[in-house]
């Protein structure tokens, strides 16, 4: 029954758009700790991606069931090199919590 709902979620969105929503997995010390404690995976996503799009994209690409999605916008820092002032890009991060029993391994060990 839950498979039918996940396929209907992906039917609402354009599949090409869903493939572009997830930019990259975030592999950092904090993301790893969160993943180990709460079965959560962290992704860098497009700036205009919505929670339902992110959920549908993860379910489509990795064939797992998603419990919930939390999103945050990290503002880019201002950096200087001599007199030149620059700015890093803003980053939108998605913390995707998987349902119990679901697993998503992003490490290269399994490949």
């Amino acid at each position: 029954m839950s498979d039918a709902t996940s396929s209907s979620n992906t039917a609402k969105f354009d599949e090409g758009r869903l493939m572009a929503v997830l930019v990259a997995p975030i592999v950092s010390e904090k993301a790893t700790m969160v993943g180990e404690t709460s079965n959560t995976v962290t992704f860098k996503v497009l700036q205009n991606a919505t929670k339902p799009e992110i959920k549908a994209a993860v379910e489509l690409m990795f064939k797992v069931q998603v419990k919930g999605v939390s999103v945050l916008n990290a503002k880019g820092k201002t950096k200087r090199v001599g007199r030149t002032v620059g700015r890093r890009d803003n980053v939108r991060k998605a913390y995707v919590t998987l349902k119990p029993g679901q697993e998503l391994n992003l490490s290269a060990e399994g490949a």
Side-chain angles (χ1 to χ4, degrees), residues 72-108:
L72 69 90
N73 291 314
K75 302 296 181 195
K77 294 181 178 181
T78 303
K79 295 290 182 178
R80 291 185 49 165
V81 179
R83 285 191 288 173
T84 308
V85 177
R87 197 159 182 279
R88 290 188 179 167
D89 290 337
N90 296 335
V91 177
R92 187 169 173 94
K93 297 179 186 178
Y95 290 91
V96 180
T97 305
L98 303 176
K99 289 186 177 178
Q102 298 289 311
E103 187 176 329
L104 181 58
N105 189 4
L106 294 173
S107 66

Side-chain angles (χ1 to χ4, degrees), residues 19-96:
M19 294 305 238
V21 165
L22 301 179
V23 176
I26 297 176
V27 182
S28 64
E29 190 172 347
K30 180 180 178 181
T32 305
M33 285 176 49
V34 168
E36 289 173 355
T37 58
S38 62
N39 199 21
T40 301
V41 186
T42 310
F43 292 99
K44 182 177 176 182
V45 296
L46 295 178
Q47 283 291 327
N48 58 357
T50 62
K51 287 182 181 184
E53 279 181 331
I54 295 166
K55 179 178 179 179
V58 171
E59 288 178 345
L60 174 71
M61 293 175 74
F62 300 105
K63 307 290 189 264
V64 293
Q65 294 178 344
V66 175
K67 181 178 178 184
V69 178
S70 297
V71 177
L72 69 90
N73 291 314
K75 302 296 181 195
K77 294 181 178 181
T78 303
K79 295 290 182 178
R80 291 185 49 165
V81 179
R83 285 191 288 173
T84 308
V85 177
R87 197 159 182 279
R88 290 188 179 167
D89 290 337
N90 296 335
V91 177
R92 187 169 173 94
K93 297 179 186 178
Y95 290 91
V96 180

